[in-house]
C-alpha cells in the first residue's frame, strides 16, 4: 500500500466518530472483530489462495480447476483450525463454512463462486434437518470430514420455485426394498445445483415419491452419483455442467438425469415422512417441514446480501472521494464528485440499506434458530410466520441490493464498468440471488398468502404473530394522527401502507370470487396487488427493525450513535419518497407534508456527507476482499487501474501475432 490519497486522508481526518466503533457494531462485538481479523489473516496469508493471473483472462475450464484447488485448500485450512481448537470460533457450524466458502472472505478466495459451497450449506443441512438420527450418524460424519462431497438437487430444467411440479420420480420396489429414480422427460433433468457438474459424488435429490401405486409428493433422497475412487458417473446417471452464466462461473452448476437408478430404502431421508419395508407410507406431521433447508439458505442469504452491498458501497464511496470531475462554480477547481447532491443520492441510501439488511438478517437468524428448536419439540406454530418473513426478506433484500450495486457502479462512471473495479463481479454474485432459492415474485406471493390469512384473522379479532401484529390495530380502522416527520410516525406510516394494500388486495380478490371467478383465478388476477402488499409488509418490517434497534442502542458513543440515526432516518424517508403514491393513499401523509419530508431527506444527505468515508471504513473490508482498483484503502485509483491493465495478456507483447496474420495483409490490400 502506497501513501494515502490526500482527499481520502482529509475525509478521514474530519470524520466525527471512530470508525472502529461501527466495525464492532457491524461484527456484533470487539471479540468477533478480532476473530474475523484472525480468520482473514489465516486464509489470506496463504499464497495458494491468491491469483497470479486475473480470472477474466483464463478459460472456463481453468477457472473451474483453480476453484477446486482453492476450495480444497480452504477446507484443509478449516480442518487445521478444527484440530487446533481455536477458542471462540464455531468452526463446526454451517455458517462458519459459508463464511469461508461463500461470504465476503470466500469472495476474496474465489471471486466467481465456489463449487464446494453447497456441500456445507445445503447437502449437510438437508441431512441434519430431514434425516433420522441413524442417517445423520452415518452420513454427517462422512460429509463433515469431506470423505464424500454432496450437493442439493431440487430445481429442474422445467420447474424451479414451484417444487410440487417437479417431475423426477422415486418409485419404491418392495421386492428389493429399493427406490428407482427416473427422469421421465428432458424437463425433469435436475438443472442448476452448484458443484453438480464435475465436483459432487453424492446429492440430496428431491423427487416425487411413488409407493403402492400412489404419488405421495416430493421427498428428499441421498443418491450416489459417481464412483468414490474413480469419480466416473454411475450407471444410469447422466451428468454434466450447464455452461457459463452472467456470474458465479466457478460454481460448477450442473445437470442430472436418472435412468432406472436404484438406491436402498434407507437412502430416503425419513425424519419426517417414512416408507416402511412393505411400502406403507407414513405421513409427516406437517408438509412444511420439508422446506427447512430452503428456509435456512434464505435466512443466511440476507446477511450475505448486506455484506456484498457493503463491499460495493465501500468501493463507490471511496472512489467518489478521490474522483474530481467538472465544476460546480466556473471559477473553482473540480470538486470531489461526492460533493454533488445527485451523487450522494446514489450512494447514501445504499449505504444505509447495508445496515437495514444486516439488522433484519440478525433478527431473522435468531428467529430461525428459535423456531428450529421449537420444531424439534414438535411445535409448529411459528413456522408459517418464519417462512413468510424469510420469503419476502430474501426477495426484497436481493432485489434492492442488485439494483443498489448497479446504481453504485453507475456512480463510478466509466471506471465502474471495468472488471478491475470488482463491481461487475459483485453485481453478478448478488443478482443471482434474485432467482436462486426461490424466484422473487413467487416468494412475494408466498408471503402474500400468509398476509391474506393474517388479515382475515385480524378482522375477526384473533391474536396475531409478532411480525403482523400491526394488522390487528389497523384492521379496526384506527387512523394515524397527523404527519409529524418523526421516526415513529414514519414507521407507523409504513405499516399503514402495508395494511392498506393487504386489505385492498384481499377485498378485490373476494369481490372477484363473489362475481363468480374461481378462487385460483381470482388469486392470479389479483397477483400484482398481492406481490406489492408483500413487498410493503417487508419494507415496514425492515424499517421498524432498523428504527427500534438504533433507537435502543446504548453501547455506542454519542457521535457514532448520531451517525447511525442519520442513516436510519435517511433510509426510512427514502422509501416514503420512492413510494409517495402509496403513502398519500394509505397513510396520513398529505401533499403539503411532502416538501418538508424532501427537505429533511436532503438534510440527512448533507449530514452523512462528512462521515461517508468513515462509515465505509467501519465495514473494515480488507483490500484483498474488496479486490477493487477503485476502492482500495489508500485511494490510489489511477495507479491501480494502470497496474491492472498491464496484467492483460495483450500487453505482454508489443505486437500481437494477429497483425502479421490478418491486419497487415488487409492494410496492404486496402492500399492497392
Amino acid at each position: 500500500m502506497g501513501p494515502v490519497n490526500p482527499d481520502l486522508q482529509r475525509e478521514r481526518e474530519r470524520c466525527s466518530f471512530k470508525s472502529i466503533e461501527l466495525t464492532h457494531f457491524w461484527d456484533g462485538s470487539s471479540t468477533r472483530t478480532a476473530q474475523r481479523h484472525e480468520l482473514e489473516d489465516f486464509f489470506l496469508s496463504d499464497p495458494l489462495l491468491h491469483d497470479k493471473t486475473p480470472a477474466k483472462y483464463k478459460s472456463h475450464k481453468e477457472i473451474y480447476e483453480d476453484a477446486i484447488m482453492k476450495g480444497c485448500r480452504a477446507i484443509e485450512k478449516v480442518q487445521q483450525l478444527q484440530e487446533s481448537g481455536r477458542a471462540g470460533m464455531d468452526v463446526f457450524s454451517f455458517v462458519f463454512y459459508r463464511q469461508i466458502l461463500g461470504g465476503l472472505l470466500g469472495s476474496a478466495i474465489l471471486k466467481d463462486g465456489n463449487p464446494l459451497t453447497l456441500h456445507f450449506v445445503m447437502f449437510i443441512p438437508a441431512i441434519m434437518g430431514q434425516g433420522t438420527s441413524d442417517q445423520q450418524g452415518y452420513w454427517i460424519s462422512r460429509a463433515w470430514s469431506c470423505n464424500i462431497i454432496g450437493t442439493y438437487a431440487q430445481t429442474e430444467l422445467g420447474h424451479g420455485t414451484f417444487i410440487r411440479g417437479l417431475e423426477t420420480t422415486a418409485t419404491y420396489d418392495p421386492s428389493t426394498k429399493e427406490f428407482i429414480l427416473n427422469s421421465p422427460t428432458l424437463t425433469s433433468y435436475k438443472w442448476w445445483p452448484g458443484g453438480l457438474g464435475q465436483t459432487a459424488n453424492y446429492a440430496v435429490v428431491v423427487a416425487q415419491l411413488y409407493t403402492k401405486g400412489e404419488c405421495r409428493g416430493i421427498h428428499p433422497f441421498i443418491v450416489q452419483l459417481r464412483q468414490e475412487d474413480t469419480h466416473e458417473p454411475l450407471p444410469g446417471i447422466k451428468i454434466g455442467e450447464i455452461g457459463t452464466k452472467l456470474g458465479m462461473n466457478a460454481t460448477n452448476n450442473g445437470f442430472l438425469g436418472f435412468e432406472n437408478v436404484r438406491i436402498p430404502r434407507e437412502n430416503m431421508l425419513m425424519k419426517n415422512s417414512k416408507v416402511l419395508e412393505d411400502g406403507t407410507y407414513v405421513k409427516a406431521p406437517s408438509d412444511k417441514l420439508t422446506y427447512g433447508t430452503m428456509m435456512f439458505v434464505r435466512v443466511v442469504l440476507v446477511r450475505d446480501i448486506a455484506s456484498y452491498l457493503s463491499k460495493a458501497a465501500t468501493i463507490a464511496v471511496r472512489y467518489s472521494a478521490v474522483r474530481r470531475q467538472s465544476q460546480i462554480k466556473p471559477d473553482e477547481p473540480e470538486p470531489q464528485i461526492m460533493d454533488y447532491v445527485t451523487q450522494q443520492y446514489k450512494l447514501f441510501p445504499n449505504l444505509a440499506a447495508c445496515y437495514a439488511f444486516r439488522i433484519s438478517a440478525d433478527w431473522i437468524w435468531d428467529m430461525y434458530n428459535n423456531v428450529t428448536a421449537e420444531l424439534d419439540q414438535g411445535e409448529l406454530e411459528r413456522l408459517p410466520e418464519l417462512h413468510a418473513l424469510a420469503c419476502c426478506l430474501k426477495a426484497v433484500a436481493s432485489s434492492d441490493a442488485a439494483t443498489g450495486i448497479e446504481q453504485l457502479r453507475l456512480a463510478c462512471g466509466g471506471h465502474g464498468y471495468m472488471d478491475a473495479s470488482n463491481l461487475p463481479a459483485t453485481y453478478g454474485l448478488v443478482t443471482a440471488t434474485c432467482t436462486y432459492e426461490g424466484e422473487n415474485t413467487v416468494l412475494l406471493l408466498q408471503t402474500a398468502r400468509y398476509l391474506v390469512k393474517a388479515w382475515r384473522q385480524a378482522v375477526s379479532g384473533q391474536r396475531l404473530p409478532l411480525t403482523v401484529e400491526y394488522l390487528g390495530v389497523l384492521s379496526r380502522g384506527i387512523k394515524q394522527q397527523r404527519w409529524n416527520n418523526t421516526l415513529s410516525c414514519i414507521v407507523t406510516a409504513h405499516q399503514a401502507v402495508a395494511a392498506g394494500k393487504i386489505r385492498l388486495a384481499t377485498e378485490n380478490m373476494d369481490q372477484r370470487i363473489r362475481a363468480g371467478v374461481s378462487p385460483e383465478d381470482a388469486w392470479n388476477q389479483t397477483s400484482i396487488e398481492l406481490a406489492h402488499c408483500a413487498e410493503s409488509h417487508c419494507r415496514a418490517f425492515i424499517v421498524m427493525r432498523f428504527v427500534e434497534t438504533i433507537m435502543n442502542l446504548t453501547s455506542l458513543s454519542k457521535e457514532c450513535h448520531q451517525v447511525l440515526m442519520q442513516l436510519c432516518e435517511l433510509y426510512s424517508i427514502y422509501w416514503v419518497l420512492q413510494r409517495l403514491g402509496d403513502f398519500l393513499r394509505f397513510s396520513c401523509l398529505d401533499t403539503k407534508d411532502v416538501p418538508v419530508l424532501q427537505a429533511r431527506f436532503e438534510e440527512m444527505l448533507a449530514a452523512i456527507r462528512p462521515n461517508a468515508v468513515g462509515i465505509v471504513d467501519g465495514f473494515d473490508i480488507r483490500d484483498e476482499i474488496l479486490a477493487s482498483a477503485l476502492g482500495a484503502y489508500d485511494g490510489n485509483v489511477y495507479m491501480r487501474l494502470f497496474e491492472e491493465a498491464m496484467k492483460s495478456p495483450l500487453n505482454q507483447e508489443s505486437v500481437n501475432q494477429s497483425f502479421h496474420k490478418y491486419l497487415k495483409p488487409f492494410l496492404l490490400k486496402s492500399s492497392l
Side-chain angles (χ1 to χ4, degrees):
M1 184 186 295
V4 175
N5 177 284
D7 283 329
L8 210 48
Q9 187 60 39
R10 275 192 295 273
E11 295 289 336
R12 291 182 175 125
E13 287 169 356
R14 70 174 182 169
C15 184
S16 69
F17 67 99
K18 293 179 180 177
S19 294
I20 192 67
E21 273 198 89
L22 271 189
T23 303
H24 295 160
F25 172 72
W26 182 258
D27 286 331
S29 69
S30 58
T31 303
R32 288 184 182 173
T33 298
Q35 289 173 351
R36 177 173 58 79
H37 286 169
E38 186 181 353
L39 271 182
E40 289 171 355
D41 289 339
F42 181 68
F43 283 92
L44 298 178
S45 62
D46 190 328
L48 290 177
L49 298 179
H50 289 267
D51 286 321
K52 292 185 178 68
T53 304
K56 291 293 180 181
Y57 301 127
K58 297 177 184 177
S59 70
H60 182 60
K61 184 170 175 284
E62 288 171 323
I63 288 170
Y64 169 68
E65 290 165 355
D66 279 358
I68 288 295
M69 182 276 289
K70 288 184 178 180
C72 291
R73 179 61 179 159
I75 292 170
E76 284 173 359
K77 291 182 78 70
V78 172
Q79 290 168 343
Q80 289 173 24
L81 286 176
Q82 292 170 350
E83 290 164 7
S84 68
R86 296 287 177 102
M89 291 189 190
D90 190 7
V91 294
F92 291 95
S93 75
F94 310 130
V95 178
F96 183 85
Y97 271 93
R98 184 174 183 84
Q99 183 182 355
I100 305 304
L101 298 175
L104 273 190
L105 180 53
S107 74
I109 298 168
L110 278 162
K111 297 177 178 61
D112 210 12
N114 190 316
L116 296 171
T117 303
L118 255 67
H119 175 71
F120 291 101
V121 301
M122 292 198 81
F123 181 71
I124 294 176
I127 297 170
M128 290 292 290
Q130 309 294 327
T132 63
S133 56
D134 287 345
Q135 289 173 324
Q136 290 176 18
Y138 177 73
W139 291 106
I140 295 298
S141 60
R142 299 195 72 203
W144 205 255
S145 63
C146 293
N147 182 240
I148 60 174
I149 296 295
T151 185
Y152 186 83
Q154 178 171 290
T155 299
E156 295 175 355
L157 191 53
H159 284 91
T161 308
F162 181 62
I163 59 176
R164 282 180 316 206
L166 297 179
E167 298 176 81
T168 303
T169 60
T171 305
Y172 185 63
D173 180 356
S175 66
T176 60
K177 299 182 178 58
E178 292 174 316
F179 291 100
I180 308 167
L181 275 78
N182 274 293
S183 304
T185 63
L186 180 62
T187 52
S188 69
Y189 271 50
K190 297 299 177 183
W191 193 271
W192 278 114
L196 178 62
Q198 279 78 24
T199 311
N201 55 5
Y202 282 80
V204 169
V205 175
V206 179
Q208 299 285 359
L209 167 63
Y210 284 83
T211 183
K212 293 191 171 182
E214 204 172 334
C215 181
R216 295 293 187 171
I218 58 161
H219 291 74
F221 303 83
I222 297 180
V223 184
Q224 184 176 355
L225 309 176
R226 295 174 178 270
Q227 296 282 1
E228 289 187 27
D229 52 350
T230 66
H231 210 56
E232 288 290 340
L234 292 174
I237 299 287
K238 300 173 183 179
I239 195 167
E241 201 218 28
I242 65 172
T244 57
K245 310 168 292 292
L246 185 150
M248 301 186 76
N249 283 302
T251 306
N252 196 219
N253 300 92
F255 65 80
L256 172 64
F258 300 101
E259 188 176 340
N260 294 322
V261 174
R262 288 179 172 266
I263 60 172
R265 182 184 72 91
E266 292 77 18
N267 281 29
M268 174 181 165
L269 294 176
M270 297 198 202
K271 180 179 180 180
N272 301 311
S273 301
K274 298 175 179 61
V275 172
L276 305 183
E277 287 191 5
D278 66 353
T280 301
Y281 178 70
V282 181
K283 195 175 186 298
S286 168
D287 57 0
K288 292 184 175 63
L289 292 171
T290 313
Y291 304 141
T293 306
M294 294 284 284
M295 232 169 358
F296 167 76
V297 178
R298 286 170 192 162
V299 167
V300 174
L301 266 180
V302 182
R303 191 180 179 94
D304 282 353
I305 287 163
S307 295
Y308 286 129
L309 185 58
S310 72
K311 192 174 182 177
T314 299
I315 294 166
V317 167
R318 285 180 180 165
Y319 178 71
S320 297
V322 170
R323 181 73 167 179
R324 290 179 173 270
Q325 188 90 356
S326 303
Q327 292 173 307
I328 294 176
K329 296 178 181 176
D331 56 342
E332 291 185 357
E334 290 182 289
Q336 296 162 280
I337 60 173
M338 195 154 51
D339 288 337
Y340 291 100
V341 176
T342 49
Q343 185 76 350
Q344 296 167 18
Y345 183 65
K346 294 174 190 175
L347 300 175
F348 299 165
N350 287 306
L351 189 53
C354 298
Y355 284 95
F357 295 153
R358 184 59 166 258
I359 287 165
S360 294
D362 288 347
W363 194 90
I364 196 174
W365 175 245
D366 289 341
M367 182 185 184
Y368 172 82
N369 286 318
N370 291 334
V371 172
T372 302
E374 290 167 9
L375 291 178
D376 290 339
Q377 304 300 317
E379 299 171 26
L380 308 177
E381 186 182 345
R382 290 209 295 164
L383 188 60
E385 181 189 19
L386 172 63
H387 179 252
L389 189 58
C391 284
C392 68
L393 259 182
K394 181 269 181 184
V396 169
S398 61
S399 176
D400 283 4
T403 302
I405 291 170
E406 176 64 356
Q407 287 173 336
L408 293 166
R409 182 188 71 77
L410 292 170
C412 294
H415 293 331
Y417 191 67
M418 296 193 69
D419 282 324
S421 74
N422 203 23
L423 290 169
T426 305
Y427 176 76
L429 288 172
V430 170
T431 195
T433 64
C434 294
T435 44
Y436 70 66
E437 307 314 322
E439 192 277 331
N440 281 353
T441 302
V442 177
L443 292 187
L444 289 173
L445 289 172
Q446 288 188 24
T447 300
R449 285 196 186 278
Y450 176 80
L451 295 175
V452 168
K453 184 178 178 182
W455 179 258
R456 298 193 198 285
Q457 290 173 330
V459 169
S460 64
Q462 295 179 48
R463 187 180 171 192
L464 296 170
L466 180 66
T467 57
V468 286
E469 262 184 346
Y470 68 93
L471 295 179
V473 176
L474 295 167
S475 67
R476 297 194 290 274
I478 298 172
K479 297 275 185 182
Q480 191 182 355
Q481 300 302 311
R482 288 181 60 188
W483 189 271
N484 60 18
N485 257 22
T486 62
L487 279 173
S488 60
C489 171
I490 293 170
V491 168
T492 306
H494 275 279
Q495 293 173 337
V497 166
K501 293 176 91 169
I502 295 165
R503 172 186 60 78
L504 205 58
T506 306
E507 288 174 356
N508 287 342
M509 186 168 60
D510 288 346
Q511 190 175 4
R512 287 183 167 110
I513 293 169
R514 285 195 297 271
V517 178
S518 71
E520 296 80 6
D521 286 335
W523 176 271
N524 183 40
Q525 291 168 19
T526 319
S527 58
I528 295 173
E529 289 179 75
L530 289 163
H532 286 171
C533 74
E535 182 200 342
S536 295
H537 165 71
C538 189
R539 296 207 184 282
F541 171 81
I542 293 170
V543 168
M544 184 267 292
R545 285 262 64 86
F546 198 178
V547 170
E548 281 194 2
T549 301
I550 301 305
M551 288 188 78
N552 292 327
L553 274 178
T554 57
S555 57
L556 297 176
S557 68
K558 177 185 170 186
E559 294 80 8
C560 192
H561 188 255
Q562 183 180 37
V563 168
L564 285 173
M565 284 297 296
Q566 290 164 351
L567 289 168
C568 181
E569 189 169 355
L570 179 85
Y571 182 83
S572 305
I573 296 173
Y574 176 80
W575 281 106
V576 177
L577 296 174
Q578 287 293 303
R579 300 285 190 269
L580 262 181
D582 289 340
F583 282 84
L584 290 170
R585 189 180 183 191
F586 295 112
S587 79
C588 67
L589 184 72
D590 192 88
T591 50
K592 70 178 184 302
D593 302 315
V594 176
V596 180
L597 195 63
Q598 178 70 33
R600 183 62 179 168
F601 177 76
E602 290 165 10
E603 283 176 31
M604 290 300 100
L605 292 177
I608 291 165
R609 165 65 187 90
N611 287 316
V613 169
I615 294 168
V616 298
D617 283 356
F619 293 135
D620 192 33
I621 306 173
R622 289 170 62 135
D623 283 352
E624 299 98 314
I625 295 174
L626 281 178
S628 173
L630 306 190
Y633 187 85
D634 64 14
N636 291 322
V637 169
Y638 306 117
M639 178 193 74
R640 289 175 182 274
L641 280 171
F642 194 81
E643 287 175 350
E644 287 299 312
M646 293 309 294
K647 292 177 183 177
S648 168
L650 290 175
N651 286 328
Q652 307 313 307
E653 53 189 2
S654 59
V655 178
N656 183 263
Q657 62 177 344
S658 63
F659 173 76
H660 297 288
K661 289 176 71 174
Y662 308 114
L663 189 56
K664 186 176 181 180
F666 172 74
L667 293 171
L668 289 172
K669 182 180 176 181
S670 300
S671 64
L672 295 176

